[in-house]
Amino acid sequence: MNRGFALFTLLFALSAFFAAPPAYAEKIDIDLSRMSGTVVYAMVNQMVTEPQKFKGKIVNMSGVFSSYYDNETNQRYFGCVISDALACCSQGLAFELKKPHKYPQEYPDEGTEITIRGIFDIRTEEDGVGFPVIRDAEMFR
Amino acid sequence: MPELIEKFSFYLEFPFVRYAIIVGVLVSLCSSLLGVTLVLKRYSYIGDGLSHVAFGALAIASVLKLTNNMLLILPVTVAVAVLLLCTGKNARIKGDAAIAMVSVGALAIGYLLMNIFSTSANISGDVCTTLFGSTSILTLKVGEVYLCIALSCIVLLTFVLFYHKIFAITFDENFARATGVNTTIFNLMIAVIVAVIIVLAMNLVGALLVSALVVFPALSAMRVFKSFFSVTVAAASISVACSLIGIVIAILAGTPVGSTIVAADIAVFGLCYLTSLVRDKRG
């Protein structure tokens, strides 16, 4: 009986370990992946135009992977982009992965569907210009 | 069904969704009230012409980098509305020709200016949003909502206070003038109100679809009702209902807001048309 109980406990613990949800799974503040395209577009628009309101919130969003190399800062920026219902306008949020990845080997191809989960923040550049970013992000394909 | 209600309740927690519903209801209410007058005065297409003028003014405001676009769009649209509606029979270029000229001219100049003096990285996106209003209604700022509420209240109050005068001018302008109504002043007032409504409605359905908000509710109501009062009340009810249905479907299904509202208007027009056919056969 005791052996059976111990084995059950071990299996339960192992299953819990292997099926462990991503770090932020249980405390997502804004889950954009649950919303319709129209609402997601409006929500991201608000996050970009009024970033202070969302600072520190844990965001989960699905979209298309995109990257951009800035010659002035010699830095590559990564983004998760969504389109509006007419597909003529796009809104996106930059993200910085929690664990450093090598580009392009460890990143998906441009246009690949991805899900990003991380903390919404405002990154201020050296010139004082700020932009919204999802930091400490995890990326799922 | 309970899932959809739960989902919509969840969306209602976002302020921008509540703003969209408030502005949507007010704009559709105002546009339908004046829609009856415009349709009866054979000015159904003026909404389209003025919305293109507003688009041209928006392009100029973008080029000038104005922080508040309304400061330019509203006066320009009002001025053109007054020119089109008030010069009327005395103008050298009359009625539909003047509207067509102003409409395509403003559209072309607006697009040209946006391309030459581009201030945005996504010109086609900006043009598309302005013309079709894909999500403009869901990206309103608090200030814009208050402005819309204030302007809508002025329009509604004016319509209620001068209902009898508007009625008289709509059906027989000469008779109204003979009975002592200052038709010039009231035509001017209607022109200003129409311009204000068009500018407000551009946020809801976009410049190309504004006419639908003006024309469809009035035409639907005219299929079923006969008196000016009943047509006006029915047009207002149909317009508000279609806007609400359109916004809710667009939010839940992720479709473009403007075209979903217009699709709802078309469906109701179809129903009203069938109702009138059945009634006529029975009668």
Side-chain angles (χ1 to χ4, degrees):
Chain A
M1 180 69 181
N2 282 343
R3 273 188 190 171
F5 181 73
L7 187 65
F8 174 76
T9 310
L10 183 65
L11 282 172
F12 184 77
L14 280 173
S15 67
F17 176 78
F18 283 114
Y24 305 118
E26 289 173 11
K27 46 176 182 175
I28 294 167
D29 297 309
I30 302 165
D31 193 352
L32 296 169
S33 63
R34 279 178 59 208
M35 300 175 191
S36 74
T38 303
V39 179
V40 171
Y41 186 84
M43 193 76 186
V44 173
N45 179 72
Q46 203 180 13
M47 290 166 97
V48 172
T49 52
E50 298 173 86
Q52 290 293 346
K53 284 185 179 175
F54 300 92
K55 203 175 170 183
K57 305 256 187 209
I58 293 170
V59 177
N60 188 58
M61 81 178 284
S62 295
V64 166
F65 174 75
S66 178
S67 73
Y68 158 73
Y69 187 80
D70 189 341
N71 289 320
E72 286 183 18
T73 58
N74 283 328
Q75 206 177 334
R76 183 168 287 278
Y77 298 92
F78 302 101
C80 184
V81 179
I82 52 106
S83 298
D84 72 339
L86 291 170
C88 62
C89 301
S90 299
Q91 289 276 358
L93 287 174
F95 66 85
E96 292 169 359
L97 293 176
K98 197 175 189 178
K99 293 172 189 168
H101 284 49
K102 284 180 186 172
Y103 184 84
Q105 299 93 319
E106 294 175 8
Y107 280 92
D109 294 332
E110 295 278 329
T112 307
E113 293 274 346
I114 55 166
T115 299
I116 292 295
R117 196 172 297 161
I119 302 161
F120 187 87
D121 205 351
I122 302 163
R123 180 73 66 234
T124 310
E125 297 282 85
E126 285 174 5
D127 57 4
V129 177
F131 65 93
V133 65
I134 300 177
R135 65 171 169 81
D136 295 339
E138 291 173 280
M139 180 170 59
F140 311 95
R141 296 184 210 188
Chain B
M1 194 66 180
E3 272 179 27
L4 286 177
I5 293 169
E6 192 184 327
K7 202 173 176 184
F8 190 67
S9 307
F10 166 69
Y11 287 144
L12 274 179
E13 288 172 18
F14 301 116
F16 61 82
V17 173
R18 297 198 294 270
Y19 296 158
I21 290 171
I22 293 168
V23 171
V25 166
L26 287 173
V27 168
S28 52
L29 181 62
C30 293
S31 58
S32 61
L33 291 180
L34 260 291
V36 178
T37 298
L38 291 175
V39 168
L40 290 170
K41 277 171 81 73
R42 302 279 190 271
Y43 272 114
S44 301
Y45 219 56
I46 197 161
D48 210 57
L50 289 180
S51 65
H52 292 180
V53 170
F55 171 78
L58 175 76
I60 296 170
S62 303
V63 169
L64 296 175
K65 293 178 182 169
L66 293 181
T67 45
N68 189 354
N69 290 337
M70 282 287 186
L71 291 174
L72 186 75
I73 297 172
L74 209 52
V76 169
T77 315
V78 167
V80 176
V82 169
L83 278 175
L84 288 176
L85 280 171
C86 296
T87 49
K89 289 163 189 167
N90 303 323
R92 297 181 79 175
I93 302 170
K94 290 187 177 65
D96 60 340
I99 293 173
M101 192 184 74
V102 166
S103 173
V104 290
L107 197 64
I109 297 295
Y111 189 54
L112 193 65
L113 286 175
M114 276 181 135
N115 270 273
I116 295 173
F117 304 102
S118 166
T119 52
S120 161
N122 185 14
I123 301 168
S124 59
D126 290 347
V127 172
C128 183
T129 303
T130 316
L131 293 182
F132 292 100
S134 55
T135 50
S136 314
I137 192 78
L138 286 162
T139 54
L140 293 174
K141 301 274 182 301
V142 185
E144 292 171 323
V145 177
Y146 283 131
L147 179 69
C148 180
I149 292 171
L151 290 174
S152 300
C153 288
I154 292 170
V155 169
L156 290 174
L157 205 64
T158 310
F159 189 84
V160 172
L161 285 176
F162 300 107
Y163 171 79
H164 292 290
K165 301 277 194 300
I166 292 170
F167 172 80
I169 290 171
T170 302
F171 283 99
D172 195 337
E173 204 169 314
N174 292 330
F175 180 74
R177 196 181 295 119
T179 56
V181 176
N182 191 338
T183 52
T184 312
I185 292 284
F186 283 101
N187 273 328
L188 190 71
M189 189 186 75
I190 290 171
V192 172
I193 293 174
V194 168
V196 170
I197 290 168
I198 297 302
V199 172
L200 293 178
M202 266 178 68
N203 274 326
L204 184 61
V205 293
L208 287 183
L209 304 176
V210 162
S211 284
L213 280 189
V214 175
V215 174
F216 274 114
L219 289 177
S220 302
M222 282 173 194
R223 299 300 102 192
V224 184
F225 298 96
K226 297 297 168 201
S227 75
F228 185 74
F229 179 75
S230 56
V231 165
T232 306
V233 172
S237 312
I238 289 169
S239 188
V240 169
C242 287
S243 276
L244 275 176
I245 291 167
I247 291 172
V248 171
I249 291 174
I251 286 171
L252 289 173
T255 53
V257 182
S259 37
T260 312
I261 292 173
V262 177
D265 275 315
I266 294 168
V268 171
F269 175 76
L271 281 175
C272 291
Y273 188 75
L274 284 176
T275 307
S276 69
L277 276 183
V278 171
R279 193 181 56 190
D280 291 348
K281 278 192 175 178
R282 281 184 182 172

